[in-house]
Amino acid sequence: MQKIILLLFLVISTTVCHSQNTGSMYNKHTNAAELYIIDNNYTAALNEYQAAFNTGVTFAQDLYNACVCSSKLNDKQKLIALSTQLAKTGVGSNFFKRNTFKKWLDDSDMAAIIKEADTIRQKFQNTTKQYTQGLRTFFIKDSTYNRLRQTKFASEYELPDTLQNLFKENTKNLLAYLETNGFYNEKRIGAKVVNDTLLGPFTQSDIVILHYLEMGNDTATVSAIKHLLLQQLDNGTVKPYQVEAFIILSHGIFEDIGHWNYQIYQCGLYRANKIEHESAINVSRAKYYMDYLEGFEKKIVFHYSRISDFDIRQYIIKSPVHDVDFFNSAYHNIATLVKCN
């Protein structure tokens, strides 16, 4: 009896520990903040962001959204404090040319932050140059092997053992490199910015990892990749949307997060008329610290149908519609795309 009680205690303790780790706490607050933004409740959103940052974790995207909230509330003190933190992520001075900061550019405190921003960005580039060059070597090898896969072995149902082993060894060497030198997250290499735009999640190293999840046949290597990604998520060193792409594009490796219930077709955003296993999908989404489907839907509608200063990162990977009649019977429109191309 005592053994059973002890076992139950360990299971409950492990579950509570997982649910209360840094990544869980951080994303609980930032997910809530984004929903408040959609409802135009910027005070509540700012409070949620502050609670998130109190965990010791920050990301440029969230700091920026908190800055937008502060600017809309005309709260200079919070805006300056948040902008100082934002500059420390390595966004550089050009990032502060965004509309959010324009009315504050003549402020002496803001001018000092912008001046320091380039120094911080340059420091990131200098200190991570060798690290990023090392990462690139794995991408170059992966690209070479992938060209062989797409040309010489394009007609093969399975990759030959030689090529399969080359992919595996290159991926394992990348994992070892990351174990020794640290994961390529924002804290390690700084925010990814071009001019005034924060870039999306995918990097060259992500491509190496994704290729192996797509076609690698060594279960130990696949498990090591999955463990690495989820560990970063638990530690709060990557955002859920950075793991989301791996989940969507690698079939059967992770649990279903329901992404395919939403589609972009022509100039519209569509939702499946019936979502199968919605409760199970929401359990999986919670495991990866994502909103339930209801919240996800609100965010993709906001992202695709509204012009906004905010950076709400929820995407749909567009897939071709081959049977229009079936699509029209199975999906219904929930938003019109503000940018249609």
Side-chain angles (χ1 to χ4, degrees):
M1 183 66 179
Q2 288 180 331
K3 289 182 178 179
I4 294 174
I5 293 173
L6 177 61
L7 179 60
L8 287 172
F9 174 78
L10 290 172
V11 170
I12 293 170
S13 298
T14 302
T15 302
V16 171
C17 181
H18 176 77
S19 65
Q20 293 182 345
N21 61 39
T22 304
S24 171
M25 291 187 291
Y26 183 83
N27 288 293
K28 172 187 174 182
H29 292 298
T30 56
N31 287 341
E34 291 179 347
L35 290 174
Y36 279 128
I37 286 170
I38 293 170
D39 291 336
N40 300 319
N41 190 342
Y42 305 128
T43 299
L46 199 53
N47 289 337
E48 291 289 350
Y49 278 126
Q50 192 56 61
F53 303 149
N54 287 343
T55 67
V57 175
T58 57
F59 287 92
Q61 175 210 356
D62 299 320
L63 287 166
Y64 167 69
N65 283 337
C67 284
V68 180
C69 291
S70 299
S71 182
K72 287 183 178 295
L73 294 170
N74 209 34
D75 189 333
K76 176 193 168 183
Q77 185 177 358
K78 285 187 178 179
L79 177 66
I80 292 300
L82 290 163
S83 297
T84 300
Q85 289 183 275
L86 179 59
K88 290 178 180 178
T89 67
V91 293
S93 64
N94 283 338
F95 189 80
F96 291 93
K97 294 179 181 179
R98 299 187 71 138
N99 290 332
T100 297
F101 306 100
K102 282 184 177 179
K103 69 177 180 179
W104 309 95
L105 293 180
D106 292 333
D107 181 87
S108 59
D109 291 329
M110 183 61 76
I113 292 168
I114 295 172
K115 182 178 179 180
E116 182 67 13
D118 278 334
T119 302
I120 296 171
R121 181 168 175 78
Q122 188 60 51
K123 184 178 179 181
F124 264 115
Q125 292 173 347
N126 291 341
T127 57
T128 62
K129 184 176 181 181
Q130 185 175 354
Y131 172 77
T132 53
Q133 286 177 341
L135 287 177
R136 181 161 174 75
T137 61
F138 303 106
F139 173 72
I140 291 171
K141 288 182 179 180
D142 178 83
S143 297
T144 301
Y145 305 152
N146 200 45
R147 278 195 296 272
L148 285 172
R149 178 177 73 94
Q150 294 176 332
T151 55
K152 185 176 180 179
F153 301 107
S155 61
E156 300 290 333
Y157 180 73
E158 293 183 348
L159 294 180
D161 290 343
T162 302
L163 189 56
Q164 185 69 244
N165 286 333
L166 287 172
F167 273 114
K168 182 178 74 172
E169 289 306 308
N170 187 52
T171 305
K172 289 175 66 176
N173 288 338
L174 170 60
L175 297 179
Y177 184 86
L178 297 175
E179 178 71 25
T180 302
N181 298 282
F183 194 79
Y184 49 93
N185 52 50
E186 194 171 284
K187 290 291 185 186
R188 183 69 175 82
I189 62 175
K192 293 176 288 181
V193 177
V194 173
N195 295 322
D196 65 348
T197 304
L198 281 166
L199 299 183
F202 248 53
T203 67
Q204 292 179 341
S205 299
D206 290 325
I207 293 172
V208 177
I209 290 174
L210 180 61
H211 278 162
Y212 200 78
L213 290 177
E214 287 180 321
M215 58 195 169
N217 61 9
D218 181 62
T219 55
T221 303
V222 171
S223 295
I225 291 171
K226 184 176 180 180
H227 173 76
L228 174 67
L229 294 174
L230 297 184
Q231 183 182 54
Q232 301 303 313
L233 198 55
D234 285 347
N235 292 343
T237 51
V238 300
K239 295 277 289 178
Y241 71 78
Q242 293 172 272
V243 177
E244 184 176 22
F246 292 107
I247 297 174
I248 295 168
L249 295 173
S250 57
H251 302 292
I253 305 297
F254 301 88
E255 288 86 350
D256 181 19
I257 59 172
H259 183 274
W260 300 112
N261 289 292
Y262 298 90
Q263 290 271 21
I264 290 176
Y265 178 57
Q266 294 181 345
C267 289
L269 177 64
Y270 289 80
R271 180 189 192 271
N273 294 334
K274 183 178 181 181
I275 296 180
E276 302 286 349
H277 313 298
E278 185 170 353
S279 296
I281 288 171
N282 282 334
V283 170
S284 298
R285 294 186 64 84
K287 177 180 178 180
Y288 303 125
Y289 312 138
M290 300 173 181
D291 293 288
Y292 286 167
L293 282 178
E294 181 182 2
F296 172 69
E297 184 172 314
K298 289 181 180 179
K299 291 180 182 181
I300 57 174
V301 169
F302 181 90
H303 175 82
Y304 286 107
S305 67
R306 286 173 60 176
I307 296 176
S308 170
D309 290 329
F310 289 102
D311 185 353
I312 305 295
R313 297 202 172 187
Q314 296 291 343
Y315 305 107
I316 297 297
I317 297 178
K318 188 176 181 179
S319 58
V321 174
H322 299 292
D323 188 335
V324 176
D325 290 336
F326 171 78
F327 180 83
N328 288 333
S329 67
Y331 288 82
H332 63 275
N333 180 270
I334 57 174
T336 299
L337 273 58
V338 70
K339 294 180 181 179
C340 184
N341 50 32

